[in-house]
Amino acid sequence: MTQGLATTFRLLTKTKNEAAIGLLIPALDSAHASVSEQALRAILDRHSVTGQKEIVRRLHQFDERWRSIIDQRHGRMSAALRDAVLAAEPQLCQNGCQAILWFHEYDLMPALINAAEDESNPNREMATATVLQLAELLYEELAARRDYRNRRDPQLARQHVIGSLEGSVKRFAKHRILAVIEAFLLLVHRDNATLKTILADPLDSSYRPIVEVLTHSHRPGIFRLVLSFLDDPHAPSSSLTLLAHRSDLKFVESLVRKIGYEPTGNVAMNVKKIDTVPWLQGDFSLLRELDDNAQFGAVQLAVRSGMARKSVFTVIEFLTLHGRVGGRRAASAALAKFNGAEANALALKALDDPDPQVQANAVGQLRPRGIPGVLGRLVDMVASPHDIVRRAVRENLAEFTFSRFLASFDILDDDIRRTTGEMVRKIDFEALDGVRQELVAKSRTRRLRAVKVVVALNVAEQLEEALIARLADEDHLVRSEVARALGACNTPRSRAALEKALEDRSLVVREAADAGLKPFGPEIPSQSQPAPLGPTESLLPPTQEFQL
């Protein structure tokens, strides 16, 4: 651009003579880009509404370069944009609406609402659509991280926009524009006085459309609002009803995620007030579509709601048998809250579930249910390849531990010792170590009892080495009990140990060794010369010798 032309545009920009606009407007249509761009800047800098209207009129013809220039100065065009959206000319109104969205001109929401409510406005639908689009832009800006390079506070803009929308919502009976309702709900908080007043009055003209939008809108902002009622300690009953009746997949997933595993106090209180959840009744087609986490949350919703117990059990039964892994885990755990023949049968079926956690959940419920014959089933599951199942079995058969068995051993008869010992051997994996410790105890009484425990547990072969070592015990009664116990070990090592025990200095031990060898084969003849008696041993029967 020549120096003279630049000077001319500077003059046209600064002069107070309004006739300058008459020269600048035609320059917007110049074939020379440098001329048209300088004219555009000059008109914007003059703050001329007339010139700004002409810019808006041509907005659909501008390229990105022109839009960049306008974007730097768009704050100066509010008046022209307001006039444009109220204009009857379709292209001018369309350009004005697009510019409002382009520049995020939230302050012009009242103008859009006026244009939308005006029944004589031929561009009413265009203005209505822009109302909702502008609300969506503000919602996105509020949801995103604040950009402090933009000095405009989106929260203040929200207050201004909501104030305009509130007035239009109250006039809904006159204009019947559902988009205004949706824009309002997109931005409003649950504690908004206008919203709470309407939801508390079914006779209000805005009540039905608000409930309609809250029930069917898929906009994230509407999701947020509906779900936020769960946190309200004074939530309107209508809000909880519509929340429970929404059956669109994305909303249901959001709902059950919010409830989670352990809902907050207000959420739990409001869920308890819900006595009907249609999608948790009937064919469960929606429940079947939910993923693992969502099915888990659905169980929490069912058991924490005010639904009839029979309906809740039906949900638990369906998910236990047909749910995804997460659903089956949650359902099988919740099954513990239900009693009766149906619940018992379902718990038994859960034992065969391929998921170890489901099996473990069921294991923990069997004994309290008093199901006949369940003890044997539990003992069989001790051999499960899954550690979580084995731990669950041991926890639910806690009385069959070695320490408890040992403590009560002396008062048990032989039959009870054998049957209980078999249970302990299968359940308590530390039983063998416990017996080994008892076999080397300082107390002769404990060592004698330990040998008898070996027999009761039927673990002589597993403890063969420890038993053979006790054949050298200082007490002949311990040695004799060990010799009898080794008779259950059909191994060459035990036979050799017993044959050696036939040379023991105690007759009682030799007789026990002889008896212990009988299961091994032909009777071994006794030694012709018995070993000399120890200083404290005698030939009396064991009971008499013990009394001495």
Side-chain angles (χ1 to χ4, degrees):
M1 181 181 296
T2 63
Q3 185 66 31
L5 191 56
T7 302
T8 300
F9 275 112
R10 280 197 300 272
L11 176 62
L12 292 174
T13 300
K14 295 180 179 180
T15 182
K16 295 181 180 180
N17 190 338
E18 289 299 320
I21 290 295
L23 296 174
L24 290 171
I25 290 175
L28 290 173
D29 301 319
S30 172
H32 299 284
S34 59
V35 174
S36 60
E37 288 178 8
Q38 283 292 338
L40 176 62
R41 290 189 179 94
I43 292 174
L44 290 171
D45 290 343
R46 284 186 61 83
H47 300 277
S48 169
V49 176
T50 301
Q52 292 169 3
K53 286 182 179 178
E54 293 300 324
I55 294 175
V56 175
R57 191 182 304 279
R58 293 166 171 78
L59 192 62
H60 63 287
Q61 300 173 347
F62 290 170
D63 57 19
E64 290 300 323
R65 174 62 180 166
W66 279 50
R67 292 190 179 187
S68 175
I69 295 172
I70 296 173
D71 193 31
Q72 296 171 8
R73 298 169 173 81
H74 67 79
R76 306 170 186 179
M77 296 184 63
S78 296
L81 294 177
R82 183 181 294 106
D83 292 344
V85 298
L86 296 173
E89 183 182 340
Q91 186 63 62
L92 180 59
C93 180
Q94 181 178 349
N95 289 355
C97 289
Q98 289 180 347
I100 288 174
L101 297 177
W102 179 17
F103 301 138
H104 291 205
E105 288 287 355
Y106 304 125
D107 290 342
L108 293 180
M109 179 64 85
L112 288 170
I113 292 175
N114 289 337
E117 292 185 9
D118 185 359
E119 294 182 1
S120 64
N121 182 6
N123 302 312
R124 187 182 185 190
E125 292 186 3
M126 188 185 304
T128 298
T130 307
V131 166
L132 185 54
Q133 290 174 325
L134 188 62
E136 288 179 320
L137 288 174
L138 179 54
Y139 174 77
E140 292 173 1
E141 191 170 334
L142 289 164
R145 179 176 296 181
R146 172 79 185 275
D147 183 1
Y148 287 94
R149 292 174 298 178
N150 184 351
R151 291 186 295 177
R152 178 180 56 198
D153 185 349
Q155 293 297 339
L156 292 177
R158 178 186 206 164
Q159 295 176 17
H160 172 73
V161 170
I162 288 177
S164 301
L165 291 170
E166 278 180 325
S168 186
V169 168
K170 294 175 182 178
R171 298 188 295 270
F172 180 80
K174 295 182 179 180
H175 58 71
R176 297 287 176 179
I177 301 175
L178 198 61
V180 170
I181 297 290
E182 193 159 9
F184 171 68
L185 295 175
L186 191 62
L187 298 173
V188 76
H189 285 298
R190 69 169 187 268
D191 55 0
N192 177 269
T194 299
L195 176 61
K196 299 196 83 167
T197 300
I198 294 173
L199 288 177
D201 183 10
L203 298 179
D204 191 289
S205 61
S206 300
Y207 176 85
R208 188 173 295 277
I210 282 182
V211 170
E212 182 74 13
V213 172
L214 291 176
T215 305
H216 297 103
S217 176
H218 297 284
R219 300 181 187 279
I222 306 298
F223 277 20
R224 169 199 57 80
L225 176 61
V226 176
L227 292 174
S228 72
F229 284 114
L230 284 175
D231 297 308
D232 189 350
H234 307 291
S237 59
S238 56
S239 66
L240 299 179
T241 299
L242 67 88
L243 181 148
H245 280 71
R246 288 203 61 154
S247 57
D248 45 308
L249 181 60
K250 287 187 177 180
F251 178 82
V252 169
E253 289 175 341
S254 299
L255 170 62
V256 295
R257 275 200 303 269
K258 182 171 182 62
I259 294 173
Y261 180 76
E262 192 63 41
T264 62
N266 287 337
V267 172
M269 176 185 68
N270 285 321
V271 169
K272 187 64 178 178
K273 296 177 183 177
I274 298 174
D275 56 12
T276 302
V277 185
W279 58 271
L280 283 178
Q281 298 166 291
D283 61 359
F284 298 124
S285 57
L286 177 59
L287 189 58
R288 195 186 298 271
E289 291 183 48
L290 300 178
D291 60 20
D292 287 67
N293 292 333
Q295 285 189 352
F296 189 98
V299 172
Q300 302 304 314
L301 171 60
V303 299
R304 294 175 182 274
S305 72
M307 292 171 55
R309 294 283 291 174
K310 178 61 177 177
S311 298
V312 176
F313 178 76
T314 303
V315 175
I316 299 302
E317 182 179 37
F318 173 80
L319 287 177
T320 299
L321 299 177
H322 309 293
R324 303 181 191 274
V325 173
R328 299 201 310 275
R329 289 179 176 180
S332 58
L335 181 60
K337 300 180 180 180
F338 295 85
N339 299 314
E342 290 183 331
N344 293 348
L346 187 58
L348 288 173
K349 290 180 181 178
L351 289 177
D352 298 321
D353 193 278
D355 181 67
Q357 182 63 66
V358 175
Q359 295 178 30
N361 291 344
V363 163
Q365 303 174 27
L366 294 183
R367 295 194 71 191
R369 293 182 180 279
I371 303 175
V374 76
L375 199 58
R377 183 75 185 272
L378 285 175
V379 173
D380 291 341
M381 296 191 73
V382 172
S384 170
H386 307 292
D387 180 65
I388 190 172
V389 176
R390 295 194 299 269
R391 281 190 282 110
V393 172
R394 291 197 296 273
E395 289 172 3
N396 285 273
L397 296 175
E399 69 269 33
F400 296 103
T401 60
F402 176 73
S403 59
R404 296 187 64 175
F405 178 63
L406 189 65
S408 59
F409 184 82
D410 293 334
I411 63 174
L412 302 177
D413 60 37
D414 290 342
D415 289 338
I416 298 298
R417 286 177 177 178
R418 284 192 295 271
T419 56
T420 305
E422 181 181 1
M423 299 281 286
V424 171
R425 175 170 54 83
K426 293 181 178 180
I427 294 168
D428 192 343
F429 296 156
E430 298 179 357
L432 293 181
D433 289 338
V435 178
R436 287 190 182 94
Q437 294 178 13
E438 290 297 304
L439 284 172
V440 296
K442 292 182 178 180
S443 168
R444 181 190 71 169
T445 302
R446 288 177 60 184
R447 297 198 304 275
L448 279 171
R449 183 179 58 188
V451 180
K452 295 177 181 178
V453 169
V454 170
V455 175
L457 294 178
N458 193 22
V459 291
E461 289 190 5
Q462 292 94 317
L463 296 174
E464 181 183 42
E465 183 178 352
L467 287 174
I468 292 175
R470 285 299 92 203
L471 283 176
D473 195 278
E474 62 184 14
D475 188 275
H476 67 287
L477 292 180
V478 174
R479 299 199 302 273
S480 64
E481 289 296 329
V482 169
R484 292 187 178 90
L486 284 173
C489 297
N490 189 18
T491 66
R493 189 176 180 185
S494 291
R495 179 167 190 149
L498 288 173
E499 289 176 348
K500 184 176 181 181
L502 292 175
E503 302 175 357
D504 194 277
R505 61 184 180 273
S506 169
L507 176 61
V508 174
V509 176
R510 295 196 299 272
E511 289 178 346
D514 185 64
L517 281 169
K518 291 186 183 300
F520 288 84
E523 181 175 304
I524 304 297
S526 300
Q527 300 296 322
S528 56
Q529 296 294 331
L533 296 177
T536 62
E537 296 174 332
S538 71
L539 295 177
L540 293 175
T543 54
Q544 297 178 2
E545 185 176 355
F546 180 78
Q547 293 172 353
L548 291 175

